[in-house]
Amino acid sequence: MRITTHSTTADFDAALPAQRRRPARRPPTGEDPLLRAAYRLCLRTTQVHDPGIFALIQLMPAVLRPPCWALWAAASVLDDLADQRDAQQAEREARVQAWTQALQCDLAAGTSTDPVRRALVDTALRWHLDLSSLQGAVTSTLDDVNDRRFADWAEWRAWCEALVPWVDQVRHLFEQAGAPMTLRLDRQQDYKRFIDGAQLTDILTDLSADLTQGLLLLPQEALDAFPGAEDDLRQGSWSPATAALVRELTGLARRWVTRPAMTRGMHPGAATVLDTAACLMRAQLDAVDAAGHTLLQRAPRPSLVTRTRILVPARLRSGLAWSLTPFTAAGPRQPAVTVREPSPADDANLRPPPAHLDGARPPRIAADRMPAHVAVIMDGNGRWAEQRGLPRPEGHRAGNAAAHEMVYGALEIGLRHLTLYAFSTENWKRDTEEITTILEAIRRDLDEGPIRNLDVRQRWLGHPDKLPAELVQALLREERRTRNRTGLTLTVCINYGGRDEITRTAAALAQATRAGAIDPHLIGEDDFARHLPHPDMPDVDLLWRTGNEQRTSNFLPWHTTYAELYFTPDHWPDVDRRDLWQAITEYSRRQRRHGGATHGMRGRS
Ligand code: IPE
Ligand code: IPE
Ligand code: MG
């Protein structure tokens, strides 16, 4: 559907006040300039890439438009990534996958530095959409990359099925808004056919552009029914065979999109949107039929008069429908931090940490002498193993137990934040086997380790690039699952580099500046801190490194500027919770000045 309609960005502003009416803990879209700019970009992307869809979105109530723009902009970004012919196939696949993986991280973080993902994440959280169902659609995008061919209609339909999750997201939005696009079960087939019809209409419209790229997204079965048509199409020549093939296919698409029973019983506003979609597609198919040989040169469009004849009454009808039969639900809910709520069972099973084998108990530290945040560089695994004649990976396995001990000790002494350096951006220089052991041990621990049922909120700091997808999934899952826990915040740094973090933060800040959210002349330290991946992570009070090395190895440069440094000779697998308590005791005796004078200084203030 690529039918242009007249519309302005003022519609965007019209859409916002409806959201402002809702009470929200998080600032509503209208008050967050970055988010506002992100939605505006999605609006423009939809308008430029898919004017027909844009026209349909205009038929929806104002409050539903921004989430629809976000969904369509995301779909079109993925399409573009898959379609960049300048890159090799593997590179295009990698780009699509990197984008979706970044989306997973952004969903866990609740925001994104990328504007389209920022709007999409906000949409998902605000409207409680489960974007995991879009995975199928992403696979279909990758099929595009693979220059897909279809033997028959069944294969072609299976490919179209992947579009269903995108459309389902829109249906879900309507449901959330209290105007369900409920489909009777016996109408499911109609719905699928309707989507097939939309896809076929699109393919016929874009025939010339696709052929230029060597693509012919039609089933072989259909092509073979008109001997010679495929060769003629591929050579760009219009013949009686191609004309007959196109006529046959437009007829088919027309029947598929004409599903009057599908909208029966629906909210009249929602029904108007679908009925108008069908009208626009039929007009588009008429234009394909009328195009003749020019179909192989450019995408045909219905005339302005035709579009106006469809859209003007549709806007009147939909406006009336939405006002006469208003929503039954209040609209979007307050944005949550993540898409899926942790199950109450997760928190019902919380246990205290197991006692130390020798029965050791934590020292008493005065509250004003306790560090709020201890960060640990867990070093010496390799040497520990080498000293015992073991392969280095054995040292990492042994180091895992020490990491658990740190968590037990932190809970027992009442530490608020513990951050562990598990894998640096520089550690990729090591042997593949060692890297695999380290990352695999972390993943196993996330899946079945003893931290899972402690009162620990787990977080991950680092970048997904190059990490195994299962590890990233497990990290995000645990982050979601434990997010309401209040005992200890455990941040594990994996594929983390301090310079990488600073560079990415600077990029995010630059983007905010470009979007007009921040005046570059007025950028302060607070602005920078707000753009860090975990803006709420406090400064490190105590930085402890084991393994007899006295350097910081690219660890938390922003947060450790005033950290007390503490170095110990033991290799990491040899430490236990008593060493953490010792480190905290040592910290509690230190004088901290933060640049002030010694006189009268106490504690961290
Ligand atoms: C620290 O131990 C763990 C990681 C860097 C993953 P090392 O593996 O660096 O141990 P050493 O320094 O070689 O002994
Ligand atoms: C720092 O240890 C990284 C982690 C503990 C994860 P390294 O052993 O990699 O540091 P360098 O290379 O000795 O500085
Ligand atoms: Mg080391």
Side-chain angles (χ1 to χ4, degrees), residues 553-570:
S553 303
N554 203 13
F555 190 39
L556 300 175
W558 179 266
H559 304 85
T560 55
T561 46
Y562 259 102
E564 293 296 321
L565 305 180
Y566 181 69
F567 300 104
T568 54
D570 288 341

Side-chain angles (χ1 to χ4, degrees), residues 377-379 421-424 427 430 493 545 549 551 553:
I377 302 176
M378 312 184 286
D379 198 19
Y421 202 6
F423 191 85
S424 73
N427 288 148
R430 300 187 180 200
C493 298
R545 179 172 191 149
E549 306 289 2
R551 55 179 171 261
S553 303

Side-chain angles (χ1 to χ4, degrees), residues 521-571:
H521 300 103
L522 301 177
I523 290 177
E525 290 182 10
D526 282 356
D527 296 303
F528 193 90
R530 271 194 293 112
H531 286 82
L532 285 163
H534 288 315
D536 59 336
M537 187 158 112
D539 278 353
V540 172
D541 295 311
L542 171 62
L543 174 63
W544 169 27
R545 179 172 191 149
T546 61
N548 213 19
E549 306 289 2
Q550 308 209 346
R551 55 179 171 261
T552 55
S553 303
N554 203 13
F555 190 39
L556 300 175
W558 179 266
H559 304 85
T560 55
T561 46
Y562 259 102
E564 293 296 321
L565 305 180
Y566 181 69
F567 300 104
T568 54
D570 288 341
H571 294 142

Side-chain angles (χ1 to χ4, degrees), residues 265-288:
M266 263 185 204
H267 184 289
T272 307
V273 175
L274 286 178
D275 291 341
T276 309
C279 283
L280 287 173
M281 285 189 280
R282 281 193 296 268
Q284 183 61 42
L285 291 164
D286 291 346
V288 169

